[in-house]
Amino acid sequence: SHTVQFEDGTKKTLGVILPTEQPLTFETHVPERMEISSGECRVKIADSNESELFRAGQSFYVPGNSVFKIETDEVLDYVCHLEG
């Protein structure tokens, strides 16, 4: 992923996740909104028992100081809006 910082101080991360055999785990320090640009993925946020499917054009929110697991069967492009 690549981080972009704007003049107003906001940050976004642009990235790609390749197909995974096991879910990838990410920790958040600030609230994040993950916007899916292409592909689809299954996401489990924090202690949720269920994963949810997200496709291109959709986004999901992860609270700060939390964790989420993400997996995909295809190349996934995303923009992460760091909201803290």
Side-chain angles (χ1 to χ4, degrees), residues 7-71:
E7 288 183 18
D8 65 359
T10 60
K11 292 182 184 179
K12 299 184 186 303
T13 303
L14 312 173
V16 174
I17 296 177
L18 299 177
T20 59
E21 292 183 21
Q22 299 290 325
L24 302 173
T25 301
F26 293 94
E27 294 181 11
T28 64
H29 300 288
V30 298
E32 299 180 2
R33 184 172 52 87
M34 294 285 290
E35 179 182 347
I36 309 303
S37 303
S38 69
E40 66 178 37
C41 59
R42 289 169 305 284
V43 178
K44 190 182 290 189
I45 299 172
D47 295 330
S48 175
N49 292 326
E50 299 287 324
S51 62
E52 191 172 344
L53 181 67
F54 294 93
R55 294 186 170 103
Q58 296 181 308
S59 62
F60 61 90
Y61 178 81
V62 182
N65 299 312
S66 188
V67 74
F68 69 98
K69 294 183 181 204
I70 186 168
E71 58 185 313

